[in-house]
Amino acid sequence: MTNNVHLCHVRAGLFLVIAGLLFGLFLGVSFGVNEDAYKQFVSEGITANPEVHDAKSKDKIWRYAQRAHFHATGISACSLGLVILLALSNMRARLKSVSALLIGLGNLYPLAWFSMYLLAPGIGREAAHEHILTEMLTYTSVTALLAGLLLLCANLFLGMLRETDTGGRSS
């Protein structure tokens, strides 16, 4: 019996997933170690730029950092499961690599929330939401994750994109 699971085909995606998980865990630990530093960053930005803020800014901007943490750990956990399914699938090796990379790129989404946290104190919440960096991270990550998931689903549920049989063996 041979082991058909080759992590080398999903390595790039797996790296991105683990990096996303580490980012989320690091944020959580850093909140526990020094949450006040995050809140002080927000307060100083609001004080320096009061014209772009309202009474809700302080709490909402702090919430962006929390959302980065929540999304990083949640998307990473989900993506890890998807990449493992992909590694176990009978998808063509090249498409496994592409799909794993796309799924891994979904882990950029938490960086959109973190960019809003970093940008909002200086430019305001709405401008941070609409900033090119935030939008680029959002659209790239969501599109990539969905594309990778669609490839995986096409293989798992529709029997598409399979490795070709060699030597008369069936998959």
Side-chain angles (χ1 to χ4, degrees), residues 1-9 84 87-89 96 169:
M1 178 178 203
T2 61
N3 183 352
N4 290 328
V5 177
H6 299 283
L7 291 180
C8 62
H9 299 303
I84 290 169
L88 295 170
S89 76
K96 277 185 183 184
R169 294 187 337 216

Side-chain angles (χ1 to χ4, degrees), residues 13-36:
L14 194 57
F15 172 80
L16 290 171
V17 168
I18 291 172
L21 185 58
L22 289 172
F23 173 70
L25 293 173
F26 169 78
L27 274 180
V29 168
S30 67
F31 293 163
V33 169
N34 195 2
E35 181 179 312
D36 290 338

Side-chain angles (χ1 to χ4, degrees), residues 26-105:
F26 169 78
L27 274 180
V29 168
S30 67
F31 293 163
V33 169
N34 195 2
E35 181 179 312
D36 290 338
Y38 286 90
K39 291 180 177 180
Q40 183 178 348
F41 172 77
V42 174
S43 292
E44 289 172 0
I46 291 172
T47 300
N49 305 287
E51 67 280 359
V52 295
H53 295 287
D54 61 23
K56 296 179 183 179
S57 288
K58 186 176 179 182
D59 290 335
K60 288 197 175 264
I61 295 171
W62 160 235
R63 187 74 177 152
Y64 296 161
Q66 293 173 317
R67 286 181 179 172
H69 162 67
F70 298 145
H71 281 90
T73 53
I75 291 171
S76 295
C78 177
S79 296
L80 182 58
L82 293 173
V83 171
I84 290 169
L85 276 175
L86 191 57
L88 295 170
S89 76
N90 63 359
M91 186 183 288
R92 284 181 238 150
R94 179 73 180 133
L95 288 174
K96 277 185 183 184
S97 296
V98 169
S99 185
L101 181 61
L102 290 169
I103 290 168
L105 286 172

Side-chain angles (χ1 to χ4, degrees), residues 125-149:
R125 294 191 332 259
E126 187 174 328
H129 271 277
E130 297 170 358
H131 194 276
I132 184 90
L133 177 62
T134 303
E135 289 191 351
M136 181 187 69
L137 289 167
T138 300
Y139 292 123
T140 299
S141 61
V142 171
T143 302
L145 180 59
L146 289 175
L149 182 57

